[in-house]
Amino acid sequence: MSKKMRNQEKHRILMVSDFFYPNFGGVENHIYYLSQCLIKIGHKVVVMTHAYQNRSGVRYMTGGLKVYYVPWKPFLMQNTLPTFYGTLPIIRTILIREKISLVHGHQAFSTLCHEALMHARTMGYKVVFTDHSLYGFGDVGSIHMNKVLQFTLADVTQAICVSHTSKENTVLRSGLPPEKVFVIPNAVDTAMFKPASERLSNREIVIVVISRLVYRKGADLLVEVIPEVCRLHSNVRFIIGGDGPKRVRLEEMREKHSLQDRVDMLGAVPHAKVQSVLITGHIFLNSSLTEAFCIAILEAASCGLLTVSTRVGGVPEVLPDDMIVLAEPDPNDMVQAITKALHILPQIDPQAMHTRMKTLYSWHDVARRTEIVYDRALRCSSQNLLERLSRYLPCGAWAGKLFCLVMIIDFLFWHLLQLWQPDRDIEVVPDIHLTNHRRGETSQDFSIDDNLR
Amino acid sequence: MEASIGRRSSPTRLKWRKVAYGGMQPGFEDNHTDESFLEDMIMNASVVKRDLLKVMLDSVSISQYVCIVALVVLVWTYTLRSTFNENSLMLLDVILLGAGFFVFLLTAEMLSFDLLLSYVLKIFFFITGLYVLSPIYHTLTRSISSDSIWALTASLLVLHLFLHNYSGSTVKAPGALENPTFTSNISLNASIVASLLIASRLPSRLHVFAIVLFSLQIFLFAPLVSYCIKKCSFRLHLCFSFGLMAATLLFVYRLHGLLFVLLLGVLVFVNLVGPYWLIRIQEYKFEINGPWDEAKLCFNITE
């Protein structure tokens, strides 16, 4: 494929989610790093999210990443209030202004994502959806969430999941054909997570735990495991970073077994300081009860720590067997796994592990694979309203008809907006290219082509 | 021999592995669906196969309780019509208290004099409290119209029946393992409020005391007594329930024909139609378990 043809296939992508900077988390980092790597390849990326306290309006981030902080306040767990048609005008304006070719939504729990994907489909854009979490099937919340997901994914062009277990879970929840779901894992910024320059001494082994101290992340398992490990191995110390409702239980455990000198509780650790906490340890302990893909393990492995984790969700797929010791979510099993890890520890070389992680995971690789998904999505044929409605009907006896009604009203509202504020009246944003000194001529070529268009 | 030559001539295709590291697996696209897709899924792991006769016998507890509530409503109607006077009501209260206590003593396993004394003391305080508070209940709903009272009472009783815990008892019997659930507390509160509303329509304070004592005795202790009977012997439980159902149907027939038909319809639905329908729709149950489930902790969290 000639360079000229590759130039013409550059996409203009809108990433939509409720979860973005200034929040820190798996989804937020994924969107940020993916956007940066896509910009480096030459695509244009715009992010849309809701306003965070005073941070509202348009902001620019590193590399010219434009972020629209739409002035909707979050109402529940960082989600915007779901008014079905309220976001249609602003989304239409953004899509036309930025000449978007493809909309990419993240996280099933984000109401803004579902609404944006619905409106984008109504207006004829191709959509891609990435699911970052695992959900159950049995309880009331999950049943409703799965129905909403079924609605959104009934008409999505392509879907991406972050692990094979997540793909199975998403296919079961939404009824998508498995061929439509791509598995593209997260990655880790190996430049930021470097091991310590000097190897730590092996006299005293330090086990690091960094996670939110909630039930889902297995804080109760920690309460059972830590005293037992401290009893069995006298040269082991724990460092616990993070905060949450279960912190009280951990403090109580510390008092009850008099482990004040062997267990350090650091409180909430800001994202920028995570690496400095990790490099003080030899082993990283993850006790979550459910994980679609655990980025914390990648960060620890990139810093040269040996990982001990519970065998849940997508965790067995994340690291090769010699970099991780898996255990069932049972305190005895976890204590045995920690003992095994302590025996393996002398053979671990942090620098070698870091170098190996650079070959196993890279955000550039993720961006390239995502680009393939985008190419596939844009090659799919466009469908008119009737063909799309026929995809919603099989969702359920009552639900199918309700979904069709929702889409028809959306369609009518869109046409009303087109009459009221025609497309040609919306100003298009000119492309601004930040000159990238490292890249030299390559970026110059792109900007010349764009100015000629 | 030829097969291996054939394999060697085509490029060696590595086996697809269910891993996320190492980038795209060579020779496979990212949306490749292997044969091992969904092989760890377990379906209907904890679904219990039900037997029609057993479900029908279990539904007898429900219809027994419906009959008890119907009898309570009957007593309320007769009292409001002044068919029962306060002395007969007091007599009824004493008989019920004695009978219930008798059944409880017969079927209770752990008996000690201290426990008995504590129960007697608690009942004494309960009755004294009710007697002292009955003037308040007497004038509680003076300003509210009768229609609102009947409507409110009817809806509260329906709520009570819907949310009632038919498998155990809200008032914890000694030795019972379960704690009362949230909905069983709501149903108990609904029944108490309904009985207070009815009591406030009565002419004198002694009436009020008698009817409130009667209603509270039934709503608080009838589930406990029937739980004790069921625990003691299942046949006794069946005999008691059928006898109660027959007596209730007879009394309601003497009161009003339409209500009799309604009650009969409810009992037939609960005992016959309900179990059959439940077993029919059990075929559609689809429970999914797999590696994506949240792990269950095998130990109890002691706060």
Side-chain angles (χ1 to χ4, degrees):
Chain A
M1 213 184 291
S2 69
K3 197 173 176 189
K4 226 193 175 91
M5 278 191 70
R6 245 185 290 142
N7 286 353
Q8 287 165 358
E9 281 184 25
K10 291 304 164 191
H11 310 304
R12 308 168 73 90
I13 305 145
L14 175 71
M15 301 270 190
V16 186
S17 180
D18 270 311
F19 308 105
F20 195 63
Y21 183 84
N23 248 16
F24 282 104
V27 182
E28 294 86 338
N29 285 346
H30 174 102
I31 300 175
Y32 178 72
Y33 282 117
L34 180 60
S35 309
Q36 290 294 335
C37 290
L38 284 170
I39 290 177
K40 286 228 173 62
I41 302 180
H43 301 290
K44 172 172 164 153
V45 181
V46 176
V47 179
M48 176 176 152
T49 180
H50 67 74
Y52 284 86
Q53 284 111 35
N54 286 339
R55 198 180 174 95
S56 166
V58 179
R59 303 288 165 113
Y60 283 87
M61 294 182 81
T62 317
L65 176 64
K66 187 170 183 180
V67 186
Y68 280 88
Y69 287 96
V70 172
W72 291 74
K73 284 282 190 304
F75 87 111
L76 176 69
M77 283 158 69
Q78 290 301 331
N79 277 323
T80 42
L81 184 70
T83 64
F84 285 87
Y85 307 108
T87 40
L88 178 57
I90 185 81
I91 289 178
R92 174 170 170 258
T93 309
I94 294 177
L95 287 173
I96 294 175
R97 278 178 59 97
E98 306 283 345
K99 296 189 299 221
I100 300 288
S101 59
L102 184 102
V103 179
H104 188 164
H106 291 265
Q107 187 62 311
F109 198 56
S110 158
T111 49
L112 190 62
C113 162
H114 287 293
E115 286 191 21
L117 293 187
M118 171 171 92
H119 298 315
R121 279 310 281 156
T122 308
M123 295 190 263
Y125 292 88
K126 305 285 191 299
V127 306
V128 176
F129 174 76
T130 299
D131 199 355
H132 293 261
S133 305
L134 295 175
Y135 284 100
F137 297 93
D139 53 304
V140 180
S142 298
I143 294 176
H144 284 104
M145 172 69 66
N146 292 346
K147 206 68 191 175
V148 172
L149 188 71
Q150 211 181 0
F151 165 66
T152 301
L153 294 189
D155 199 22
V156 77
T157 320
Q158 303 291 349
I160 301 177
C161 284
V162 291
S163 68
H164 299 285
T165 310
S166 179
K167 174 174 173 173
E168 294 179 354
N169 184 246
T170 301
V171 164
L172 280 175
R173 277 159 53 209
S174 61
L176 267 184
E179 300 75 46
K180 246 190 181 177
V181 184
F182 290 74
V183 176
I184 303 176
N186 286 326
V188 66
D189 186 7
T190 42
M192 186 163 131
F193 288 94
K194 287 199 170 74
S197 38
E198 294 168 9
R199 270 190 89 153
L200 297 166
S201 81
N202 274 15
R203 262 185 302 122
E204 195 183 46
I205 310 285
V206 178
I207 301 185
V208 179
V209 178
I210 297 188
S211 76
R212 278 179 301 137
L213 301 175
V214 291
Y215 173 78
R216 253 187 105 151
K217 298 286 182 182
D220 299 298
L221 275 174
L222 282 181
V223 170
E224 304 291 323
V225 163
I226 292 179
E228 192 59 28
V229 169
C230 286
R231 191 181 65 85
L232 284 175
H233 306 278
S234 55
N235 63 336
V236 166
R237 261 184 60 221
F238 280 87
I239 293 183
I240 302 179
D243 206 350
K246 294 279 180 179
R247 188 174 171 178
V248 181
R249 286 205 76 210
L250 283 164
E251 306 261 7
E252 278 174 5
M253 176 264 308
R254 211 168 143 222
E255 300 285 328
K256 190 168 145 190
H257 297 272
S258 312
L259 295 170
Q260 285 90 341
D261 53 340
R262 296 184 69 183
V263 175
D264 282 330
M265 309 237 356
L266 300 177
V269 179
H271 189 75
K273 300 242 172 30
V274 167
Q275 190 256 350
S276 55
V277 174
L278 283 174
I279 57 173
T280 60
H282 300 86
I283 295 180
F284 183 76
L285 178 61
N286 173 48
S287 54
S288 331
L289 299 180
T290 176
E291 285 282 1
F293 185 99
C294 194
I295 301 190
I297 293 180
L298 291 191
E299 292 172 354
S302 178
C303 288
L305 279 81
L306 178 63
T307 309
V308 175
S309 173
T310 43
R311 182 180 281 124
V312 286
V315 172
E317 305 167 26
V318 171
L319 285 177
D321 294 325
D322 52 338
M323 291 163 92
I324 186 170
V325 180
L326 291 169
E328 299 301 320
D330 169 63
N332 294 331
D333 220 28
M334 287 182 74
V335 172
Q336 279 178 6
I338 294 180
T339 311
K340 185 172 161 197
L342 289 169
H343 286 148
I344 305 176
L345 195 58
Q347 301 151 19
I348 302 289
D349 177 19
Q351 292 291 349
M353 202 190 260
H354 174 77
T355 316
R356 198 165 159 210
M357 280 301 287
K358 284 205 271 205
T359 62
L360 290 179
Y361 283 103
S362 127
W363 280 111
H364 295 287
D365 178 54
V366 171
R368 248 178 285 121
R369 287 156 84 174
T370 313
E371 188 186 22
I372 296 176
V373 177
Y374 291 157
D375 292 336
R376 187 78 80 90
L378 285 173
R379 276 203 296 267
C380 284
S381 55
S382 303
Q383 290 175 322
N384 66 6
L385 179 68
L386 283 177
E387 285 164 15
R388 288 195 306 115
L389 285 181
S390 65
R391 289 209 199 163
Y392 287 107
L393 279 174
C395 286
W398 294 93
K401 300 181 177 68
L402 189 64
F403 295 160
C404 284
L405 190 64
V406 169
M407 291 309 282
I408 290 172
I409 297 180
D410 203 31
F411 186 76
L412 291 172
F413 190 30
W414 175 46
H415 275 285
L416 188 68
L417 270 183
Q418 278 186 318
L419 284 174
W420 186 28
Q421 191 183 29
D423 283 0
R424 57 177 180 277
D425 285 346
I426 297 180
E427 239 181 286
V428 167
V429 170
D431 282 329
I432 305 171
H433 287 278
L434 305 179
T435 47
N436 200 337
H437 295 291
R438 271 176 288 154
R439 283 301 217 64
E441 311 123 14
T442 326
S443 58
Q444 301 276 347
D445 279 349
F446 288 166
S447 55
I448 291 173
D449 274 2
D450 273 350
N451 286 339
L452 282 177
R453 241 187 262 142
Chain B
M1 188 63 177
E2 279 168 314
S4 63
I5 292 173
R7 240 181 274 133
R8 255 185 279 133
S9 58
S10 64
T12 42
R13 189 166 149 117
L14 294 167
K15 207 163 103 58
W16 182 87
R17 290 182 306 152
K18 193 176 176 187
V19 291
Y21 52 82
M24 254 175 103
Q25 299 194 25
F28 295 101
E29 302 243 343
D30 277 325
N31 63 341
H32 169 81
T33 313
D34 206 44
E35 287 99 36
S36 63
F37 188 66
L38 286 181
E39 72 178 1
D40 288 325
M41 178 169 81
I42 304 170
M43 300 200 281
N44 286 341
S46 61
V47 170
V48 167
K49 201 84 175 68
R50 294 179 205 270
D51 173 38
L52 187 64
L53 190 62
K54 186 161 188 317
V55 178
M56 282 193 193
L57 288 178
D58 284 337
S59 67
V60 165
S61 323
I62 304 179
S63 40
Q64 174 203 48
Y65 192 72
V66 170
C67 292
I68 291 179
V69 172
L71 283 176
V72 170
V73 173
L74 215 63
V75 170
W76 287 349
T77 318
Y78 283 142
T79 309
L80 283 166
R81 283 190 193 172
S82 308
T83 316
F84 282 171
N85 66 352
E86 59 265 34
N87 293 327
S88 45
L89 268 180
M90 295 289 291
L91 192 64
L92 185 63
D93 285 342
V94 172
I95 291 174
L96 277 177
L97 192 63
F101 214 61
F102 185 60
V103 168
F104 182 66
L105 283 178
L106 277 182
T107 60
E109 291 148 6
M110 307 172 277
L111 268 187
S112 70
F113 188 64
D114 287 331
L115 202 63
L116 228 63
L117 193 64
S118 75
Y119 281 153
V120 169
L121 220 60
K122 280 183 193 153
I123 291 176
F124 175 67
F125 282 138
F126 182 62
I127 296 177
T128 315
L130 274 183
Y131 186 70
V132 166
L133 287 173
S134 54
I136 302 179
Y137 302 144
H138 184 44
T139 54
L140 195 63
T141 59
R142 271 277 166 78
S143 56
I144 305 179
S145 76
S146 292
D147 292 338
S148 320
I149 299 286
W150 309 145
L152 208 56
T153 310
S155 20
L156 281 171
L157 277 182
V158 168
L159 185 70
H160 168 65
L161 283 174
F162 253 59
L163 295 180
H164 188 251
N165 181 15
Y166 291 101
S167 61
S169 156
T170 311
V171 173
K172 221 161 100 162
L177 295 162
E178 299 162 12
N179 281 324
T181 63
F182 177 61
T183 48
S184 67
N185 272 327
I186 294 183
S187 82
L188 188 61
N189 285 335
S191 62
I192 293 178
V193 174
S195 38
L196 289 178
L197 283 176
I198 289 289
S200 61
R201 288 281 134 179
L202 294 174
S204 87
R205 283 187 218 154
L206 202 57
H207 269 109
V208 170
F209 167 62
I211 206 78
V212 169
L213 184 61
F214 166 73
S215 317
L216 254 53
Q217 267 177 1
I218 298 285
F219 286 127
L220 287 174
F221 300 123
L224 182 61
V225 168
S226 63
Y227 172 75
C228 288
I229 293 176
K230 197 157 69 162
K231 208 170 50 150
C232 172
S233 138
F234 197 68
R235 298 195 70 195
L236 189 64
H237 164 75
L238 280 179
C239 294
F240 176 62
S241 308
F242 284 127
L244 198 63
M245 280 198 266
T248 312
L249 283 171
L250 180 68
F251 287 135
V252 173
Y253 180 65
R254 281 172 55 183
L255 176 70
H256 200 270
L258 183 62
L259 288 179
F260 166 74
V261 171
L262 203 64
L263 184 63
L264 191 63
V266 167
L267 289 180
V268 162
F269 180 79
V270 165
N271 276 337
L272 299 173
V273 176
Y276 177 66
W277 199 9
L278 177 69
I279 291 182
R280 275 287 303 275
I281 59 178
Q282 273 250 297
E283 297 168 16
Y284 298 109
K285 193 162 170 83
F286 182 36
E287 210 178 71
I288 309 172
N289 287 106
W292 47 78
D293 283 333
E294 190 174 296
K296 287 207 179 24
L297 293 177
C298 51
F299 52 90
N300 284 327
I301 303 171
T302 47
E303 288 290 335

